[in-house]
Amino acid sequence: MQFARINDITIHYQVIGATGEKPVLVFINSLGTDFRIWRDVVVRLAGEFAIVLYDKRGHGLSDVGQVPYSIEDHATDLAALLDLLTVRQAVVCGLSVGGLIAQSLYQRRPDLVRALVLSDTAHKIGTAEMWDARIAAIETSGIEAIADSVLERWFTPAFRRPENVALIGYRNMLVRQPVPGYVGTCAAIRDADYTEAAKKIAVPVLCVVGEEDGSTPPDLVLSMARLIPGARYEVIRDAGHIPCVEQPEILTALLRPFIELVMHGDRKDD
């Protein structure tokens, strides 16, 4: 395990491969998860690319820090980590809130971003009323109180079949996240709006979404893709909100040619 002291908190991260020798992929996980959700994608790409994974503040083995957060706080943490690792011009792949963090990182530190992969995310996610209600429920009864409804949005009915032991594992991951970190990140999502910023993105962008995503449905992700000049949009069948878990092969098959084009063509993928 690798840890770094960044912005007065301890961040848990992992680097796979030599970042100075190969194109670098940076993966940012979703709300209520840690970086293990990317495993089945990473094992398919390791060796071709250098890979950086990390637990954002308030999640996994990273510190909670001062709450509530902003998306800019999360992006500042990632920028500091990439500076520490001397990473520049990475392909940054963010899922859900990770996609908001990726957009903020590009806005604040474009030198760190060569291309964006925005998975199951949007320029604005949900309403203030929705997030306030979730925060209130968790502060009253804990993450356990919302876990089953969250899993319904995360995964397809096929994945949620009772005999699938992996479902229990992902439920454990969700309910074991620190409550202050989860709530703090809910507040960050609530307050984030990258509608205008999305129109100014000038690097290649791939937008992907699970066909059965209950958190950021395809129509919402498509609306973001239409804001971003030249963005490519893909729907992944038989997947919910976390395609890297349900359909890692399909996601990898979309990522690899996009990244290769970015690295060798240095132009937008139309």
Side-chain angles (χ1 to χ4, degrees), residues 225-241:
R226 287 173 170 164
L227 291 173
I228 301 170
R232 177 179 168 186
Y233 170 76
E234 297 285 350
V235 177
I236 299 177
R237 296 186 61 185
D238 301 320
H241 188 55

Side-chain angles (χ1 to χ4, degrees), residues 167-190:
L167 179 66
I168 302 302
Y170 285 104
R171 192 181 196 281
N172 290 341
M173 179 184 289
L174 171 63
V175 301
R176 292 175 186 176
Q177 299 300 322
V179 167
Y182 189 99
V183 167
T185 302
C186 286
I189 300 170
R190 177 196 63 199

Side-chain angles (χ1 to χ4, degrees), residues 103-135:
Q103 292 174 71
S104 179
L105 181 71
Y106 172 74
Q107 185 181 43
R108 298 168 69 85
R109 291 288 306 277
D111 60 302
L112 299 177
V113 180
R114 187 162 184 173
L116 293 168
V117 179
L118 303 177
S119 176
D120 300 78
T121 188
H123 48 292
K124 181 170 178 57
I125 301 175
T127 64
E129 293 77 15
M130 182 201 84
W131 289 112
D132 286 342
R134 183 181 296 196
I135 289 169

Side-chain angles (χ1 to χ4, degrees), residues 26 52 93 103 116 197:
V26 178
V52 176
C93 179
Q103 292 174 71
L116 293 168

Side-chain angles (χ1 to χ4, degrees), residues 204-206 230-232 257-258 261-262 267-270:
V205 178
L206 171 64
R232 177 179 168 186
F258 173 74
L261 180 60
V262 167
R267 62 178 177 81
K268 288 190 183 296
D269 185 353
D270 294 322

Side-chain angles (χ1 to χ4, degrees), residues 9-251:
I9 62 171
T10 296
I11 292 289
H12 176 222
Y13 72 97
Q14 184 176 19
V15 178
I16 301 170
T19 58
E21 299 174 5
K22 297 178 180 178
V24 180
L25 309 185
V26 178
F27 290 99
I28 316 171
N29 50 292
S30 56
L31 176 67
T33 68
D34 59 47
F35 70 58
R36 289 175 292 182
I37 64 170
W38 297 105
R39 177 196 175 276
D40 289 342
V41 172
V42 168
V43 296
R44 290 169 168 82
L45 295 174
E48 299 175 56
F49 310 99
I51 295 169
V52 176
L53 306 133
Y54 79 110
D55 291 338
K56 61 184 170 290
R57 62 169 62 202
H59 289 70
L61 299 183
S62 293
D63 280 347
V64 171
Q66 190 69 37
V67 295
Y69 313 134
S70 67
I71 295 299
E72 289 74 22
D73 292 331
H74 285 298
T76 299
D77 291 342
L78 178 54
L81 177 62
L82 296 180
D83 283 341
L84 178 69
L85 300 174
T86 65
V87 169
R88 292 289 184 275
Q89 293 292 293
V91 177
V92 180
C93 179
L95 171 64
S96 193
V97 66
L100 292 172
I101 296 167
Q103 292 174 71
S104 179
L105 181 71
Y106 172 74
Q107 185 181 43
R108 298 168 69 85
R109 291 288 306 277
D111 60 302
L112 299 177
V113 180
R114 187 162 184 173
L116 293 168
V117 179
L118 303 177
S119 176
D120 300 78
T121 188
H123 48 292
K124 181 170 178 57
I125 301 175
T127 64
E129 293 77 15
M130 182 201 84
W131 289 112
D132 286 342
R134 183 181 296 196
I135 289 169
I138 294 169
E139 289 179 336
T140 300
S141 305
I143 298 175
E144 180 74 36
I146 66 162
D148 291 337
S149 63
V150 168
L151 291 171
E152 288 178 2
R153 295 189 291 273
W154 278 9
F155 299 120
T156 62
F159 190 89
R160 299 196 319 271
R161 65 190 188 280
E163 65 271 22
N164 182 12
V165 295
L167 179 66
I168 302 302
Y170 285 104
R171 192 181 196 281
N172 290 341
M173 179 184 289
L174 171 63
V175 301
R176 292 175 186 176
Q177 299 300 322
V179 167
Y182 189 99
V183 167
T185 302
C186 286
I189 300 170
R190 177 196 63 199
D191 298 339
D193 187 343
Y194 288 93
T195 303
E196 293 305 314
K199 300 174 185 178
K200 301 174 184 177
I201 295 176
V203 294
V205 178
L206 171 64
C207 301
V208 300
V209 62
E211 184 179 37
E212 299 178 52
D213 187 334
S215 294
T216 54
D219 285 350
L220 178 60
V221 179
L222 178 59
S223 70
M224 174 186 63
R226 287 173 170 164
L227 291 173
I228 301 170
R232 177 179 168 186
Y233 170 76
E234 297 285 350
V235 177
I236 299 177
R237 296 186 61 185
D238 301 320
H241 188 55
I242 312 183
C244 54
V245 169
E246 288 197 85
Q247 298 296 342
E249 290 185 8
I250 296 174
L251 180 58

